[in-house]
Amino acid sequence: MVMDVDKETPGQAAQAPFVAAGQAASQPPDLSTMTPREAADRLFNRVMMANEQGNGDEAMRFAPMAIQAYDLLGTLDLDALYHVGRLQETIGDLEAAEAVIGDMRKTAPDHLLAILLEHDVAVQRGDEARAGEAAAAFLDAYDRELAQGRGEYGDHSASLEMFLAEARDEVKRQE
């Protein structure tokens, strides 16, 4: 679920995901050269990468900073809302994640990332029925939503494709 914000060269993200091109791995990124959104996205990526690598302590340490960075942006687009919701879900604040899902759905009722997040929150709550409904909704909206050409769908294409396969399996199991 880590999005490719900086379009690093292959292997660079795995070695030093938060280091700008040409910077030594031991140096922190120069936040003064980034827009507030770029800084927030870097923090999001750091949390997601730490979480995916099983480093829950790092994810929990940086998630509040990332949420605060997005809060400072003011009005958030759907991609940034998804990031905030995913961060909230990562730290276990499922009510806050559900509030973000609601905000996303007000703007785009069938937004794939909102449905994906809704599914993951339902799974975390142990609500199999709601998770199944989200999987079915995702499959129903998938082609129609992709045709919209939303930039965030490209940024999170790997997550969407992985969930597409998972949703198909989940719906088949429920039939």
Side-chain angles (χ1 to χ4, degrees):
M1 290 186 214
V2 176
M3 68 177 219
D4 182 14
V5 173
D6 298 318
K7 311 291 184 216
E8 287 113 348
T9 57
Q12 181 182 359
Q15 294 171 5
F18 310 104
V19 176
Q23 208 173 27
S26 62
Q27 291 179 312
D30 182 0
L31 296 177
S32 69
T33 64
M34 293 181 211
T35 67
R37 175 62 191 260
E38 289 170 335
D41 286 345
R42 278 191 177 248
L43 283 166
F44 169 78
N45 283 341
R46 183 172 188 157
V47 171
M48 293 298 103
M49 185 167 291
N51 195 49
E52 287 175 4
Q53 294 173 346
N55 190 344
D57 290 341
E58 182 175 329
M60 294 300 279
R61 183 171 53 252
F62 284 96
M65 286 184 242
I67 292 167
Q68 183 179 23
Y70 284 108
D71 285 346
L72 293 173
L73 296 177
T75 303
L76 302 179
D77 62 18
L78 290 166
D79 184 50
L81 282 170
Y82 171 71
H83 292 183
V84 171
R86 181 58 70 194
L87 290 162
Q88 297 288 6
E89 183 255 345
T90 298
I91 63 172
D93 190 348
L94 303 182
E95 290 79 21
E98 286 181 337
V100 170
I101 293 164
D103 289 344
M104 291 178 75
R105 289 190 144 201
K106 285 177 190 170
T107 302
D110 293 327
H111 197 278
L112 296 176
L113 294 171
I115 298 170
L116 168 59
L117 185 57
E118 182 178 4
H119 174 271
D120 291 352
V121 167
V123 167
Q124 210 168 359
R125 288 190 183 278
D127 188 342
E128 291 180 28
R130 187 167 174 206
E133 290 169 5
F138 184 87
L139 293 177
D140 183 56
Y142 187 78
D143 290 331
R144 185 175 61 255
E145 276 293 305
L146 278 188
Q148 301 243 356
R150 298 180 192 275
E152 62 267 26
Y153 291 163
D155 292 341
H156 297 284
S157 62
S159 296
L160 292 172
E161 289 172 22
M162 280 191 335
F163 185 62
L164 178 62
E166 183 180 329
R168 285 179 177 148
D169 290 344
E170 192 166 329
V171 167
K172 281 182 185 179
R173 280 192 308 270
Q174 291 181 352
E175 291 178 346

